[in-house]
């Protein structure tokens, strides 16, 4: 006689240590296996898009800090690019390099968070996370030096950045790059080839390239699925056309590849930073003729996008000639990357669910906006 | 009144007990002295274990802090030594919640059921020469049997909490226990065979060289198996924090949680003591007559350090992989170890059935290469997909569907 | 060989065990704070403030409240108003620094502290009296003239209103264009004498 079993529905989140904030999944389990997944969003909705319509073009920068709070610099950059497109202006060269530089620093910080939590979710008690945060802390220190804040930076402005880096920033950056190279090597030694990590992630939750493209996934998740797609290469903005870097691409499309792609991107970011430091030249960092209160002409529209640490981050702005955007639509990578949740999770085990979710690296500030 | 303990009494060999017995026996009737001394020594043991558990939490947190490159608890007392006391005070003042729908009696019994086997296990461990509470002649069997009782408590907790995460944890704990009991028992058979006795005191005495060298495979299997039974990383699926939050004790709060936590760390302490006794020759060391307890504590601390070290380094395995590790890796290894030890003991023992020190060295010489060879062999049998690709393909798929126009 | 990477991991953690911790024990020890740090309590110099309310207009949250009345001295000293209310609802402030950026007269500065916890929301409003009496340790955020003088708000002494200004009103334009002025260090000796 077969044993009678019945599926069990469990609410994972919104209060759960590994859902990256207040994300909720209603999951039906058969034993440990996942039968059905239903993501439920909206616990962190703050109405950023609507708030942006109430603020002038510079004030919106402060809102973008709070979208994906692990990569504020890149959010600033995306928004400022959109405004610049709206106005049809270009920031000075030094500003472009500074932006590229801080964006790459921020990408390292963000990937360190992603990777650290990914391994934390695999069950390593804190150590990789602490090592990742140890390096991230240094990056945040650099940001504090640059703009006075660590997370909510508001460093960039339409038409450049608000101020040049202080003179002691450059030696600090060099020192950091030197130390980080060592720390990152150590980090890789700790885990990149660890057998437990491999058996846990190799071949788990593969995302085929067709599926990834059809779901409009972007960022490291897309690249781990074997698609070579990076806006920094495809449509270079700021100073990305002046630096050289490779785009790491996954071959197995699984959780390990998503982890691996992030680790490699950190290496590429280090390359880009070195090139920026070598190429940057003195000069203005902000457009002089841009007033504090910007008024683009009525009817102008622009879409500015960047390759953020989690994927394509875009701002779509419409102007009605006023001091505030008429409409500000945010294309946030985390939300759109979540469309593959069901595909990644169904059929896998409870323990894999947490890891797959961690490998997509969502950030609720951005998902719910 | 001058009471005399019968020489065949199980407590006769316990030096500490006899000191107390003689002291109270001088003014109490013999039967009362017998009971009173028993109670006194129990009090000492229970408090020692609980205090030890408190110290272990401090040790673990402090050490993890240093592994993480941070400071660790340091606010209470010198080096934060009083931190466990502060935690206890906090937990005792918390509300003791019993969730609605929980099976109240079972739910409340759990901390006791968890604590009891732990305290029982300490009874047979020799802390120093002649200081085991009871020198049972089936000590190893006793430890194994009592030690797995904790799982009953875990399942009670998981079932009675009326919480699905707790149920997940309980189911996982039971599954892990069933798989790991087998290799653990078989691995200890080798130790018992070499020592020729199941009594822990005799096993210590038999270790002319530590069994760490004579039975390396058994140590590996016992350490792994005990990590699994103790829910330690990388086998901590039953309370996997990132998956099922706290597993079976998710609903416990206040003093109940404190007791469960103390039982967990206490179990770790006891297992470390067991390993120190079985494989690191317990209290044996220079001047063991006087400072046997010191060697014993030192070796226990060493094992604890290894536990914490592993916890600080490794991620967790999935529950099915833990089963696979047990049945496909540890069980064959333990059988190989058993077979090898049997043959060695059969050919090396003298007519009285005992082994000389030189025989132990010979066994060590055979068993260490055997252990390395086995690990290498079985390590290479793992499926391909668990290995690193040394050369990563650089070719890139851009399927035809990708017709994104670049603006 | 299988298991090698696991051994490597153990070595890495062991190596880190022997390192000095990277964290420090607050409050006995603090991490270094950079001069541009945007912190609590705002530094505001009444002597420099004209009551123009640019800061209030530019705050994204609208938490600065300014009430002015024409000052008696107004005709003599130009467009100066007397401040009656200058409240900052600091519990809602996000320390973005846009108010400081907007102030054209080098009058409002970010503070440099971060330990201003209060027990009730009412206490969190910075009134004009609080601002007048607060210790003046201005952050160098968006104030290049302070930065050029090498002022360190955490370690340095409080600055008075004469020491914080820029030499030229054209500064803003020039700073925006990135053409750094050759700042002479603030003439501290002179201003000390003046205040004495
Ligand atoms: S720092 Fe920002 S939020 Fe705070 S008062 Fe100034 S402008 Fe407003
Ligand atoms: S902008 Fe400056 S001068 Fe104007 S009211 Fe604000 S603080 Fe005073």
């Amino acid at each position: 006689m077969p044993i009678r079993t019945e599926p069990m529905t469990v609410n994972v989140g919104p209060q759960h240590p590994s859902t990256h904030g207040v994300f909720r999944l209603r999951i039906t389990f058969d034993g440990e296996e996942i039968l059905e997944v239903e993501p439920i969003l909206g616990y962190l909705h703050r109405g950023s898009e609507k708030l942006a319509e109430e603020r002038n073009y510079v004030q919106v920068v402060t809102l973008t800090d709070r979208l994906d709070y692990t990569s504020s610099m890149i959010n600033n950059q995306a928004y400022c690019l959109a405004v610049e497109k709206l106005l049809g202006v270009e920031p000075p060269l030094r500003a472009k390099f500074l932006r590229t530089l801080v964006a790459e620093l921020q990408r390292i910080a963000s990937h360190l968070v992603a990777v650290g939590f990914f391994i934390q979710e695999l069950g390593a008690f804190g150590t990789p996370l602490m090592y990742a945060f140890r390096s991230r802390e240094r990056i945040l220190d650099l940001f504090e030096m640059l703009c006075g804040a660590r997370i909510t930076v508001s460093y960039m402005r339409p038409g450049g950045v608000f101020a040049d880096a202080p003179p002691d920033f450059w030696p600090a950056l060099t020192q950091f790059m030197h130390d980080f190279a060592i720390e990152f090597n150590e980090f890789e030694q700790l885990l990149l080839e660890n057998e437990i990590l491999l058996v846990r992630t190799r071949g788990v939750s593969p995302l085929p390239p067709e599926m990834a493209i059809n779901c409009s996934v972007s960022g490291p998740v897309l690249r781990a699925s074997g698609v070579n797609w990076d806006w920094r290469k495809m449509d270079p903005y700021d100073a990305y056309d002046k630096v050289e870097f490779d785009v790491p691409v996954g071959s197995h499309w699984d959780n390990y590849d998503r982890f691996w792609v992030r680790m490699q991107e950190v290496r590429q970011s280090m390359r880009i930073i070195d090139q920026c430091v070598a190429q940057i030249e003195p000069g203005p960092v902000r457009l002089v003729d841009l007033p504090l209160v910007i008024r683009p002409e009525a009817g102008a529209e622009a879409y500015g996008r960047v390759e953020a640490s989690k994927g394509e981050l875009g701002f779509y702005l419409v102007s009605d000639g006023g001091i505030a955007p008429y409409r500000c639509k945010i294309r946030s990578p985390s939300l759109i990357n979540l469309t593959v949740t069901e595909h990644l999770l169904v059929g896998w085990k409870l323990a894999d669910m947490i890891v797959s979710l961690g490998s997509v690296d969502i950030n609720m500030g951005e998902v719910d906006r | 009144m001058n009471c005399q303990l019968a020489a065949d009494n199980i407590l006769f060999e316990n030096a500490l007990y006899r000191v107390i017995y003689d002291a109270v026996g001088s003014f109490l009737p013999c039967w009362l002295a017998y009971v009173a001394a028993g109670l006194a020594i129990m009090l000492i043991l229970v408090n020692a274990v609980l205090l030890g558990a408190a110290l272990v939490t401090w040790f673990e947190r402090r050490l993890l802090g240093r592994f993480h490159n941070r400071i660790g608890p340091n606010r209470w007392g010198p080096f934060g030594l009083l931190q466990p006391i502060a935690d206890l005070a906090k937990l005792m003042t918390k509300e003791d919640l019993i969730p609605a729908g929980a099976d109240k009696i079972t739910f409340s019994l759990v901390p006791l059921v968890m604590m009891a086997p732990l305290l029982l296990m300490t009874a047979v461990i020799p802390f120093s020469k002649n200081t085991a509470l009871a020198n049972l002649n089936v000590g190893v069997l006793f430890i194994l049997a009592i030690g797995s009782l904790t799982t009953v408590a875990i399942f009670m907790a998981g079932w009675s909490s009326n919480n699905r995460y707790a149920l997940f944890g309980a189911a996982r704990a039971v599954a892990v226990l069933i798989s790991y009991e087998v290799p653990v028992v078989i691995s200890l058979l080798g130790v018992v065979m070499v020592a020729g006795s199941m009594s822990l005191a005799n096993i210590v005495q038999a270790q002319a060289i530590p069994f760490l060298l004579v039975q390396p495979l058994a140590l590996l299997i016992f350490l792994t198996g005990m990590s699994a039974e103790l829910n330690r990383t990388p086998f901590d699926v039953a309370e996997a924090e990132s998956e099922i939050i706290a597993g079976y004790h998710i609903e416990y709060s206040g003093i109940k949680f404190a007791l469960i936590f103390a039982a967990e760390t206490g179990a770790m302490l006891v297992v470390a003591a067991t390993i120190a006794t079985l494989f690191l020759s317990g209290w044996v060391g220079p001047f063991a007559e006087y400072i046997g307890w010191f060697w014993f504590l030192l070796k226990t601390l060493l094992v604890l350090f290894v536990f914490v070290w592993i916890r600080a380094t490794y991620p967790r395995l999935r529950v099915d992989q833990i089963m696979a590790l047990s049945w496909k890796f540890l069980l064959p290894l333990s059988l190989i170890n058993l077979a090898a030890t049997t043959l060695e003991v059969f050919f090396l023992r003298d007519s009285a059935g005992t082994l000389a020190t030189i025989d132990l060295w010979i066994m060590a010489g055979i068993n260490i290469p055997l252990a390395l060879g086995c690990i290498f062999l079985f390590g290479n049998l793992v499926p391909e997909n668990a290995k690193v690709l040394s050369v990563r393909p650089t070719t890139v798929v851009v399927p035809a569907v990708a017709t994104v126009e670049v603006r | 060989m299988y298991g090698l990477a696991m051994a490597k991991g153990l070595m890495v953690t062991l190596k880190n065990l022997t390192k000095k911790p990277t964290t420090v024990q607050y409050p006995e020890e603090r991490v270094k704070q950079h001069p541009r740090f945007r912190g609590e309590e705002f530094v505001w110099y009444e002597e420099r403030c004209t009551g123009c309310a640019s800061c209030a207009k530019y705050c994204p949250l609208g938490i600065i409240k300014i009430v002015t009345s024409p000052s008696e001295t107004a005709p003599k000293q130009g467009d100066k108003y007397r401040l009656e209310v200058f409240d900052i609802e600091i519990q809602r402030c996000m320390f973005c620094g846009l108010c400081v950026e907007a102030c054209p007269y080098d009058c409002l500065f970010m503070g440099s502290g971060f330990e201003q916890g209060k027990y009730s929301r009412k206490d969190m409003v910075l009134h004009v009296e609080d601002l007048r009496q607060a210790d003046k340790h201005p952050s160098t955020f968006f104030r290049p003239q302070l930065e050029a003088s090498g002022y360190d708000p955490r370690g340095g002494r409080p600055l008075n209103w004469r020491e914080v200004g820029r030499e030229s009103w054209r500064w803003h334009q020039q700073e925006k264009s990135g053409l750094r002025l050759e700042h002479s260090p603030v003439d501290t000796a002179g201003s000390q004498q003046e205040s004495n």
Side-chain angles (χ1 to χ4, degrees):
Chain A
M1 190 190 84
I3 305 169
R4 193 178 64 89
T5 61
E6 54 185 67
M8 174 161 90
T9 305
V10 179
N11 260 315
V12 179
Q15 267 95 37
H16 186 284
S18 332
T19 48
H20 296 256
V22 282
F23 182 48
R24 178 175 159 205
L25 283 165
R26 192 191 288 136
I27 302 186
T28 309
F29 287 104
D30 172 19
E32 291 240 341
E33 209 172 294
I34 296 169
L35 296 181
E36 258 175 60
V37 181
E38 187 192 342
I40 300 161
L41 309 171
Y43 290 93
L44 202 60
H45 183 69
R46 293 151 301 175
S48 296
E49 291 180 2
K50 190 71 195 161
L51 285 173
E53 294 164 20
E54 307 273 314
R55 278 157 173 68
N56 75 34
Y57 282 91
V58 175
Q59 288 172 343
V60 175
V61 172
T62 62
L63 287 176
T64 66
D65 286 342
R66 287 152 179 83
L67 287 177
D68 172 1
Y69 37 81
T70 59
S71 61
S72 326
M73 285 288 189
I74 304 182
N75 302 346
N76 283 186
Q77 193 186 18
Y79 172 74
C80 291
L81 282 172
V83 178
E84 281 153 16
K85 232 179 202 177
L86 198 64
L87 296 169
V89 296
E90 282 261 314
L93 193 62
R94 186 174 173 87
K96 282 184 171 182
F97 270 113
L98 268 175
R99 279 188 190 183
T100 312
L101 186 112
V102 292
E104 289 308 314
L105 275 176
Q106 184 75 76
R107 190 183 312 277
I108 293 181
S110 172
H111 279 348
L112 281 176
V113 175
V115 166
F117 274 108
F118 173 74
I119 299 168
Q120 172 90 346
E121 272 146 31
L122 277 167
F125 186 81
T127 314
L129 187 65
M130 292 291 164
Y131 293 178
F133 269 55
R134 185 175 65 186
S135 310
R136 174 177 182 255
E137 203 59 26
R138 302 273 307 270
I139 297 179
L140 298 189
D141 267 351
L142 288 177
F143 287 170
E144 187 187 316
M145 207 180 253
L146 210 55
C147 61
R150 300 162 71 82
I151 306 283
T152 51
V153 287
S154 299
Y155 179 51
M156 298 174 196
R157 301 278 186 272
V161 297
F162 83 72
D164 204 342
D168 49 353
F169 173 78
W170 301 105
L173 180 68
T174 321
Q175 182 64 37
F176 164 74
M177 290 306 288
H178 174 257
D179 295 350
F180 181 64
I182 298 169
E183 276 170 19
F184 193 66
N185 273 342
E186 199 176 274
F187 192 72
E188 277 193 340
Q189 256 180 33
L190 176 65
L191 279 161
L192 196 64
E193 294 175 1
N194 187 302
E195 280 83 359
I196 298 183
L197 186 123
L198 279 166
V199 292
R200 278 300 300 279
T201 53
R202 222 346 136 222
V204 173
S205 298
L207 180 68
E210 293 79 13
M211 176 62 98
I213 290 168
N214 289 348
C215 288
S216 190
V217 161
S218 56
V221 185
L222 180 66
R223 289 192 284 278
S225 290
V227 184
N228 185 359
W229 193 261
D230 189 324
W231 283 117
R232 291 176 293 171
K233 278 262 189 246
M234 293 311 197
D235 179 18
Y237 50 92
D238 281 348
Y240 283 108
D241 49 353
K242 299 182 184 65
V243 292
E244 248 176 59
F245 63 98
D246 298 326
V247 180
V249 171
S251 52
H252 290 64
W253 321 333
D254 54 9
N255 279 348
Y256 183 77
D257 271 6
R258 290 189 267 277
F259 162 71
W260 181 85
V261 162
R262 288 201 179 91
M263 294 291 271
Q264 299 308 313
E265 280 188 12
V266 170
R267 288 225 171 276
Q268 298 304 326
S269 293
M270 287 160 73
R271 265 179 81 189
I272 300 178
I273 292 171
D274 285 341
Q275 293 175 47
C276 283
V277 174
Q279 291 183 36
I280 195 162
E281 277 165 12
V285 293
R286 194 172 176 179
L287 282 183
V288 195
D289 43 359
L290 219 56
L292 266 179
V293 178
I294 299 165
R295 285 171 197 271
E297 63 189 83
E301 307 180 4
Y303 178 64
R305 72 178 145 226
V306 297
E307 183 70 34
S309 55
K310 304 198 164 47
E312 176 191 343
L313 173 67
F315 282 83
Y316 182 66
L317 296 173
V318 182
S319 159
D320 61 352
I323 59 167
Y326 174 72
R327 174 82 173 99
C328 170
K329 159 90 181 100
I330 306 167
R331 186 233 189 252
S332 60
S334 291
L335 175 68
I336 295 175
N337 287 358
L338 266 184
T339 47
V340 292
T341 319
E342 193 172 345
H343 182 82
L344 285 185
L345 302 189
V346 170
W348 295 95
K349 300 246 182 323
L350 167 61
D352 296 327
M353 165 201 96
I354 299 293
V355 179
S356 304
L357 210 58
S359 77
V360 176
D361 186 23
I362 52 166
N363 183 308
M364 291 319 283
E366 201 174 55
V367 172
D368 289 340
R369 300 198 290 281
Chain B
M1 279 164 279
N2 227 344
C3 299
Q4 211 58 70
L5 206 57
D8 61 343
N9 194 305
I10 199 171
L11 294 165
F12 184 75
E13 281 173 23
N14 189 329
L16 187 59
Y17 181 83
R18 275 170 57 198
V19 169
I20 302 174
Y21 181 75
D22 289 346
V24 291
S26 58
F27 55 88
L28 284 179
C30 281
W31 64 271
L32 202 55
Y34 188 68
V35 175
L39 284 178
I41 206 153
M42 271 194 261
L43 196 72
I44 294 174
L45 257 191
V46 169
N47 280 313
V49 173
L50 288 182
L51 205 63
L55 279 179
V56 171
T57 53
W58 172 81
F59 176 74
E60 179 168 17
R61 287 177 59 182
R62 188 87 192 169
L63 201 59
L64 273 177
R66 298 315 302 272
F67 272 126
H68 291 172
N69 236 321
R70 49 189 180 86
I71 299 173
N74 68 345
R75 303 310 281 174
W76 282 94
F79 306 107
L81 260 172
L82 295 183
Q83 184 66 38
I85 312 285
D87 285 346
L88 186 68
K90 186 203 85 172
L91 282 172
M92 288 214 285
T93 52
K94 290 251 160 163
E95 189 184 355
D96 187 11
L97 276 174
I98 297 181
D103 183 339
K104 287 198 181 53
I105 297 172
T106 322
F107 187 81
S108 315
L109 267 180
V110 168
L112 298 180
V113 180
M114 255 187 123
M115 212 65 199
L118 161 73
L119 298 176
L120 283 176
M121 265 160 88
T122 51
V124 292
I125 293 173
F127 300 102
S128 178
K129 196 171 167 57
N130 292 343
T131 352
L133 179 56
N135 184 8
L136 275 190
N137 52 4
V138 286
V140 173
L141 193 64
F142 181 81
I143 284 197
L144 286 174
I146 298 287
S148 37
L149 273 183
T150 335
T151 312
V152 176
I154 293 181
F155 196 74
M156 278 164 71
W159 182 256
S160 64
S161 296
N162 191 26
N163 183 310
R164 286 166 188 186
Y165 288 118
L167 198 55
F168 269 127
R172 285 171 169 199
V174 173
V176 168
L177 177 90
I178 290 172
S179 330
Y180 275 82
E181 205 68 337
V182 182
V184 162
V185 172
I186 296 181
S187 75
L188 282 194
L189 276 185
V191 173
V192 170
M193 225 182 300
V194 177
S197 165
M198 272 204 180
S199 142
L200 289 175
N202 294 356
I203 290 180
V204 172
Q205 233 111 43
Q207 295 185 49
I209 56 172
F211 282 175
L212 161 74
L213 300 173
V214 184
Q215 293 280 317
L217 262 184
L219 173 63
L220 177 82
I221 295 159
F222 192 71
L223 196 69
T224 322
M226 276 302 162
S227 305
E229 284 185 25
L230 289 174
N231 293 321
R232 303 275 317 167
T233 319
F235 309 102
D236 55 342
V237 281
E239 44 190 287
E241 187 175 299
S242 57
E243 293 159 21
I244 49 175
I245 305 170
Y248 62 90
H249 59 66
I250 184 169
E251 292 288 3
Y252 284 87
S253 59
I255 189 68
K256 291 205 186 87
F257 175 75
L259 273 175
I260 288 182
F261 196 69
E264 269 183 4
T265 36
M268 186 170 126
L269 178 66
V270 173
V271 166
T274 315
I275 293 177
T277 308
L278 290 178
F279 293 96
L280 303 178
S281 69
W283 45 265
V284 174
F287 310 111
E289 291 290 325
Y290 310 104
I291 50 163
W293 53 269
F294 171 75
W295 296 116
F296 176 77
L297 281 184
L298 192 73
K299 287 166 185 173
T300 310
L301 216 56
L302 199 72
V303 181
L304 281 176
F305 175 80
V306 171
F307 273 132
V308 177
W309 189 12
I310 289 176
R311 179 170 181 205
T313 311
Y314 291 143
R316 180 189 309 124
L317 282 163
R318 208 168 55 200
V319 69
D320 55 327
Q321 289 161 346
I322 292 180
M323 305 301 173
L325 182 73
S326 168
W327 294 113
K328 294 184 188 162
F329 185 69
L330 295 182
L331 186 61
L333 280 193
S334 66
L335 288 174
I336 290 174
N337 183 50
L338 184 65
T341 315
T342 315
L343 289 177
E344 285 157 7
V345 171
F346 181 75
F347 286 114
L348 289 175
R349 67 177 172 185
D350 55 25
S351 51
T354 51
L355 295 157
T357 311
I358 184 73
D359 296 334
L360 289 182
W361 278 114
I362 296 172
M363 288 178 76
I366 301 173
N367 280 348
I368 293 173
L370 181 76
L372 292 179
C374 284
I375 294 170
F376 182 73
L377 182 72
F378 278 81
N380 278 331
L381 290 182
V382 289
E384 261 325 295
N385 69 357
K387 288 188 184 162
V388 203
L389 286 174
S390 44
V391 185
R392 309 270 318 180
T394 45
T395 47
V396 166
V397 202
V398 182
V401 242
T403 49
V404 187
E405 147 205 347
V406 182
R407 282 211 276 180
Chain C
M1 194 190 119
Y2 202 74
L4 211 60
M6 284 171 61
K8 248 200 275 178
L10 283 176
M11 284 304 123
V12 170
T13 41
L14 193 65
K15 203 168 86 197
N16 274 287
L17 179 68
T18 57
K19 277 191 195 155
K20 212 172 145 284
T22 39
T23 53
V24 295
Q25 181 64 50
Y26 178 83
E28 281 96 44
E29 218 182 311
R30 288 147 192 266
V31 290
K32 189 179 175 322
Q33 190 178 317
H34 299 289
R36 277 191 193 176
F37 182 74
R38 310 199 296 245
E40 275 195 330
E41 111 168 351
F42 287 88
V43 173
W44 175 72
Y45 294 99
E46 192 178 16
E47 294 87 344
R48 303 188 75 90
C49 183
T50 57
C52 68
S54 298
C55 50
K57 274 180 229 140
Y58 219 60
C59 174
L61 304 175
I63 59 175
I64 303 180
K65 182 177 170 194
I66 294 176
V67 178
T68 53
S69 61
S71 144
E72 318 77 64
T73 59
K76 258 186 272 164
Q77 298 192 350
D79 51 354
K80 174 127 167 79
Y81 289 82
R82 196 181 59 228
L83 265 290
E84 276 171 4
V85 178
F86 193 104
D87 288 357
I88 303 179
E89 279 179 56
I90 208 155
Q91 82 270 34
R92 287 172 57 205
C93 178
M94 55 187 178
F95 303 100
C96 59
L98 287 182
C99 50
V100 175
E101 189 171 337
C103 176
Y105 301 111
D106 281 354
C107 154
L108 193 62
F109 293 76
M110 296 306 287
S112 54
F114 52 89
E115 294 150 318
Q116 317 266 350
K118 305 265 166 60
Y119 283 102
S120 92
R121 284 180 185 222
K122 271 211 296 292
D123 300 342
M124 296 290 294
V125 182
L126 281 183
H127 294 293
V128 65
E129 255 331 291
D130 303 330
L131 284 171
R132 275 179 190 136
Q133 281 155 16
D135 252 4
K136 313 268 193 236
H137 288 284
S139 154
T140 64
F141 169 79
F142 216 80
R143 295 286 181 256
Q145 74 274 17
L146 275 187
E147 207 168 283
S149 74
Y151 179 67
D152 178 14
R154 284 304 280 190
R157 66 194 166 79
L159 295 185
N160 71 27
W161 69 273
R162 289 190 189 83
E163 299 169 278
V164 294
R166 58 189 90 128
E167 301 94 298
S168 142
W169 295 120
R170 286 186 295 106
W171 166 83
H172 208 119
Q173 290 301 314
Q174 274 167 320
E175 178 53 34
K176 270 172 74 178
S177 70
L179 303 169
R180 263 175 187 289
L181 300 166
E182 279 312 314
H183 298 287
S184 56
V186 180
D187 178 14
T188 45
S191 49
Q192 288 271 290
Q193 273 168 9
E194 266 178 67
S195 56
N196 283 345

